[in-house]
Amino acid sequence: MTLKESHSLNWEDLKYFLAVARTGTLRGGAESIRANHTTLARRLTIMEERVGSRLFDRSKLGLVLTQLGEELLPHAERVEEEMAAASRVIVGQDAIPSGTIYVTMPHGLTMTSIMDDLVSFAEKYPDIELNLNFTNEVADLTRREADVSFRIANEVTQDVVGRKLVQMSQAAYCTRDYAAQIEDNGGEGLRFIGWHEPDGDTTSPWIAKSSYPKAILRHRVSELVPLISLAAAGLGMAYLACNLGDRHPNLIRAPFQKPLPYRSIWLLLHKDLRNTARVRLFVDFIAAQITQRRNEFWVSGTTNGS
C-alpha cells in the first residue's frame, strides 16, 4: 500500500486508528487511550479523508475494518511496537531516582500488607511518585501499559524480567459463629460461596479437593472483594489466600483443615527498564519487604498438596 504525500500519516493518527480497531467503537477507543470521544471521532474522520477511503464500516455491532483498514492494521501495530521500544530506551537511560512509576496490581492486594510497603517506599523516596492502577486485567508491559506489574500466577511467560517473590497458601475462611457450627465430618451441612461456577452446580473440583468435600456450593460472586465481605457477613465459607484471610478482623480459618498451596506473587518489569534508577529502587525495595515476610504468605502447616 503506497500513500501519496498528501495522504501521509503520523503516529497520532495510527494511535487513534488502533484504539478503534481494538475496541470496535468510538467510545471504547476513546476510553482505552484516555482521549475525548469527540476528538477521536474527528481525528478518525480526518485520517479517512487523508487516505481517501473509509477505514471502518459502520454496523449494528459497531465499527469493523474495511479491506484498507485490515491492510493498514499490521503496519500500525509495527509502528506502535517501535514507538514503545523507543520510549523504553529513553526511560531506561534515567539515572536519577525521581519521577513517576506506573504500577498495576490486582484488586485483592489492596487488602494486604503490601499497601504498607508502598507507603514505606513513598516515605523513603519522596521524589518518586507512584501512579497505581488496580485492575485484574493483565498489563502488557511491552506496550508500556505499566512500568511494573504485580501478578498472581503459577508461571509467567511474557518477554519481561520477572521476580517470583513468594508462593502463597490458601484456606477456607468463615466467621467465628459459622466456625462454631463446623464438625469433623467432611463439611456435611456447610456451604461455600462460589466463584464463577455454572448456575445449578452444587459442587466443584476445588471443593472435592478441600477438607470439606461434602459442603454445598451456594451463591456466586464475580470479584474477590465481595467474596471476602460476604464471608465476613456470615453467608458461608470462602477460599482465600491466607495473607488476605488472616488479616480480616471478622474471619478465621475454618477448623479441621490444613492450608493448601496457592499461586505465587510475581513482580514484573520490561527488560529495558531494569537499569532505570527509580524502577530499580522500587523493585528491589518491594521485593525485599515481601520476601522477608515470607511466613505471612506461605503459612505454617501448609500441605504439599499431594
Side-chain angles (χ1 to χ4, degrees), residues 23-37:
T23 62
T25 65
L26 293 174
R27 187 170 301 279
E31 291 176 353
S32 71
I33 58 174
R34 300 177 183 177
N36 179 274
H37 172 271

Side-chain angles (χ1 to χ4, degrees), residues 107-122:
H107 293 133
L109 293 186
T110 62
M111 296 175 285
T112 71
S113 59
I114 295 175
M115 296 300 99
D116 301 327
D117 298 332
L118 297 178
V119 173
S120 297
F121 178 83

Side-chain angles (χ1 to χ4, degrees), residues 13 34 124 176 188 248 269 300:
D13 292 326
R34 300 177 183 177
K124 185 172 183 179
R176 288 171 177 78
E188 187 172 352
H248 199 287
L269 66 154
S300 176

Side-chain angles (χ1 to χ4, degrees), residues 179-197:
Q181 309 170 33
I182 299 177
E183 300 177 4
D184 190 8
N185 60 2
E188 187 172 352
L190 303 179
R191 59 184 180 271
F192 271 110
I193 305 171
W195 181 268
H196 296 292
E197 289 82 7

